[in-house]
Amino acid sequence: MSTTTSNENAVHVAEKLAKYSLGLNYDELSEKVVHEAKRALLDTLGVTFAAKGADAVKIMWKVLDNFNVNGTATIIGSGKKTLPQYAALANGCMTRYWDYNDGYGFPMGKMVAASHPSEIIPICLSLGESENISGKELIVDIVLGYELSGRILRSIENKSLEARGWNMDTRASFVSPLVCGRILKLNVEQMENALGIGGSRDMVLGILDTAGEVNTMAKNIRHAYSCHTGILAAMLAKEGFTGPVRVLEGEKGFNETVLNGDFNFDTMINGLGHFIIEDAEYKPVVASRTASGHIFATLENTKKNDIHPEDVARVDIYASTRVSEHTGDPSKKYPFNKESADHSIYFLTAVAITDRMVGLSQYTKEKYEDAGIKELIGKVNVHADPDTFDQHHRAGGRSVITMKDGTIYDTTVLEPVGDNTTNPISDEQLEEKYFDCASRVMSREQAEKIKDAIWNIDSFDNIRDFMEMLKF
């Protein structure tokens, strides 16, 4: 029997989600949850700052400049004002560019159901600025976005969207209209229609981030484009435009057409018993989140044994099934752009050995074309080790480096920095990451002022004052 017919919550889903979204209150958030929202904002803005000047971002800004549209929402970095949907698109592209923003996921069979919940933050900032929301309201909107995003992941029980050929950023079609509707102060009926309008528009194809295809700039706006649509959906609903309110549970809706009845509406309506933002994980290296184990293993192996690339005969990387398939496909072996390089075990391993770090400075045209790195890439072999890494140690990895003289160095890292259950990133480490990102585009003094404002964002009566700080 399908979830649709057996689950009593599969009735009036939009109404229940609308009431939950409108009813969430700052005063019911614990100090820990509020603090987690601030951590999320700090991390997100850091990686967003670092993307100023990136090729994809330059193109986005050029196109939006050509529109010559004024508005009340800030494009981070330039300080230009435009319509909130355009600011959300531009800022979302920046947030996603480095693939350095946070993650939330869990094992699903041999694979992982994963997402980057922080991608809701650009929409909270752009529409929130336009609507004059307070810092406390911003925190609630961020918590709500994380909550709805995580609930969708958890509600798909037996086979992830990725395994069905779709990308998990499809969730933005359902999350963003509700978050935007709250910011716009819609009533319940309007919220339902916003969900119907947005949720029936943007399904994101898996080709934008799959093992056997080269990644492109379009990867950077998977979520942002749907958030842009979500703002429009909420604006339309506010004026009386209607949409299919049964978009999740109805005939030929999301559950029936995309999930074949695999959606658990109880989870979507009731959640997990705690706020999902508490489970967010932050990346310690600039790469696919679940690649951090084998990257740290290679870095440790290289440094403690003083390994030099010219002395290496062979490198064997062991990781989870998902990592070995998702980032170990031959299509990404010799990357020529940032979007594929951060999802290439081969490139990540080669630069870890060569540069002894995997940071922002490793992603350059010169690195992609470097003869020594290409030679080392040819020596990298990828192996799936499901018994060791597929469940609790899904982010773990093993690096075995064989030298030309026959010496073998073997290092395993089961719980790398960033594993929220065993080795979470501290506030101090998160600040260090933030400053490293911000230093690319602004002075330490400006970065410090923004950092202090983030930790005290709930004291802002109007986030417009905060957004004025984000010009550099």
Side-chain angles (χ1 to χ4, degrees), residues 181-439:
R182 176 188 170 92
I183 294 173
L184 289 171
K185 299 180 180 178
L186 304 189
N187 61 35
V188 171
E189 182 180 359
Q190 291 167 334
M191 288 279 277
E192 293 179 67
N193 281 296
L195 178 61
I197 297 166
S200 60
R201 301 306 309 172
D202 294 335
M203 286 295 298
V204 183
L205 288 173
I207 195 172
L208 288 179
D209 187 9
T210 190
E213 298 287 343
V214 173
N215 290 339
T216 66
M217 291 180 186
K219 173 174 173 274
N220 302 313
I221 57 170
R222 294 182 325 215
H223 194 280
Y225 201 93
S226 294
C227 283
H228 152 274
T229 303
I231 292 178
L232 292 174
M235 288 178 171
L236 288 167
K238 187 173 185 177
E239 301 302 323
F241 206 91
T242 61
V245 299
R246 284 170 43 80
V247 65
L248 286 167
E249 76 273 27
E251 180 181 352
K252 299 193 186 308
F254 181 65
N255 183 43
E256 179 182 306
T257 304
V258 178
L259 301 179
N260 297 314
D262 188 32
F263 199 74
N264 187 323
F265 288 93
D266 286 335
T267 300
M268 189 68 212
I269 299 300
N270 298 319
L272 304 181
H274 67 278
F275 284 108
I276 285 173
I277 198 168
E278 298 177 56
D279 300 328
E281 296 183 328
Y282 298 94
K283 290 187 177 185
V285 290
V286 189
S288 176
R289 169 68 187 95
T290 48
S292 59
H294 72 74
I295 292 173
F296 275 110
T298 298
L299 290 170
E300 182 181 333
N301 217 359
T302 300
K303 293 175 183 178
K304 73 180 181 182
N305 297 302
D306 195 25
I307 293 171
H308 297 275
E310 62 270 18
D311 299 325
V312 173
R314 177 186 175 96
V315 182
D316 291 277
I317 298 297
Y318 297 83
S320 69
T321 303
R322 198 262 182 179
V323 171
S324 61
E325 291 181 3
H326 191 62
T327 61
D329 190 89
S331 68
K332 298 184 180 68
K333 189 162 189 175
Y334 297 97
F336 55 85
N337 62 19
K338 166 64 178 66
E339 288 79 12
S340 284
D342 60 30
H343 276 58
S344 169
I345 284 182
Y346 309 97
F347 177 79
L348 295 169
T349 300
V351 295
I353 294 172
T354 302
D355 295 354
R356 301 190 178 193
M357 65 180 298
V358 179
L360 300 168
S361 61
Q362 272 58 60
Y363 295 96
T364 65
K365 182 180 179 182
E366 290 72 26
K367 295 289 183 186
Y368 308 146
E369 296 178 351
D370 183 272
I373 289 177
K374 284 187 174 182
E375 181 182 357
L376 195 51
I377 283 174
K379 300 175 181 179
V380 177
N381 304 276
V382 180
H383 311 275
D385 184 354
D387 292 340
T388 306
F389 301 116
D390 271 15
Q391 292 302 316
H392 173 63
H393 301 298
R394 60 189 172 84
R398 178 185 174 199
S399 170
V400 181
I401 301 177
T402 303
M403 310 303 290
K404 289 179 179 178
D405 66 3
T407 305
I408 298 175
Y409 299 109
D410 189 342
T411 300
T412 297
V413 171
L414 293 178
E415 296 164 348
V417 175
D419 186 316
N420 204 40
T421 56
T422 59
N423 196 5
I425 287 181
S426 67
D427 288 354
E428 292 74 21
Q429 289 171 313
L430 207 60
E431 286 190 0
E432 183 179 348
K433 174 184 172 181
Y434 162 82
F435 283 122
D436 180 56
C437 290
S439 67

